[in-house]
Amino acid sequence: MVERADDDPRLTAARYRVEKAAQDNGEEQPAEPERHAGTPTGTERAMYVETAIQQAIRRGEFDDLPGAGKPLEGLGGSHDPDWWIKRKIQTEQLSGLGPPALRLRIEHAEFEDRVDALHREEDVREYTADFSRRVVEARRQLQGGPPVVTPTRDPDAEVAAWRERRAARAAASDPPAAPQTKRRRWRRR
């Protein structure tokens, strides 16, 4: 049996609500647009969806959802046109993908950790020079995508900072020396 739109009590109720709201606001009745038999109008669909949502709320289907009571992520702050690709890279934990500008920004944020993992001063200088070379090279490329705003790094300044962090870690990890007391030695006779 084929059901007509007039036979659906939900659509009839939605249509009644629209007409009642129009009467209460002093508006004239909305004209019935030409449509195919059984096809609801946009207003009817909206009212049906709203009714379904309200019924689901009353039944408690939206209670205890994950993230309930937590702020929505990404609201506030400034608008970043590349938010979607950054979020995808972060959630999928992708590395080495994306435009050079984004890869360099990520590497710039992790720069100190990467440098601190190196053991020789020459390696720090080489890595810093390579990073700065890649930043300059990315600025010269005109392939579209986000602009390259990552600053270059000075090898001498990075080596000095690397030494300071290394000395601070060494000082923090060494336990303070306890004063030594003289021990009496007992001899067996």
Side-chain angles (χ1 to χ4, degrees):
M1 175 178 175
V2 177
E3 190 174 288
R4 292 180 41 217
D6 296 337
D7 295 339
D8 188 0
R10 295 173 292 195
L11 291 177
T12 306
R15 192 175 298 116
Y16 172 77
R17 277 199 235 45
V18 169
E19 292 170 2
K20 181 81 169 135
Q23 285 176 353
D24 292 345
N25 293 333
E27 300 171 0
E28 62 181 62
Q29 295 290 330
E32 192 70 29
E34 282 190 39
R35 58 191 168 116
H36 298 286
T39 306
T41 64
T43 307
E44 290 172 338
R45 277 186 254 136
M47 292 299 288
Y48 172 76
V49 169
E50 184 62 31
T51 302
I53 291 172
Q54 292 301 322
Q55 289 173 352
I57 289 172
R58 283 189 219 110
R59 286 191 304 264
E61 292 180 12
F62 295 124
D63 296 345
D64 301 326
L65 290 176
K70 297 178 184 172
L72 295 176
E73 185 179 319
L75 292 182
S78 60
H79 174 69
D80 184 7
D82 303 315
W83 66 269
W84 61 274
I85 193 164
K86 289 179 183 177
R87 181 175 294 164
K88 184 69 171 176
I89 289 172
Q90 181 183 12
T91 57
E92 299 292 327
Q93 297 179 348
L94 302 174
S95 61
L97 298 176
L102 294 180
R103 288 194 316 243
L104 288 170
R105 286 182 198 172
I106 291 168
E107 191 173 345
H108 176 72
E110 300 169 349
F111 190 85
E112 287 182 5
D113 295 334
R114 291 181 183 209
V115 167
D116 289 346
L118 301 174
H119 299 289
R120 296 182 322 155
E121 207 174 288
E122 296 83 28
D123 295 339
V124 174
R125 286 184 189 281
E126 184 178 313
Y127 177 72
T128 306
D130 178 58
F131 176 77
S132 295
R133 178 192 55 76
R134 289 185 284 127
V135 168
V136 170
E137 185 177 305
R139 287 180 185 166
R140 290 183 187 151
Q141 303 269 333
L142 299 175
Q143 296 179 351
V148 180
V149 295
T150 307
T152 57
R153 300 281 190 139
D154 178 35
D156 295 329
E158 294 304 326
V159 166
W162 174 76
R163 281 185 195 144
E164 289 175 14
R165 288 190 303 268
R166 192 174 175 134
R169 278 194 314 272
S173 67
D174 288 340
Q180 293 186 0
T181 58
K182 288 188 175 183
R183 289 185 176 177
R184 288 189 180 180
R185 296 185 183 216
W186 295 90
R187 287 192 208 173
R188 278 191 161 171
R189 290 189 187 195

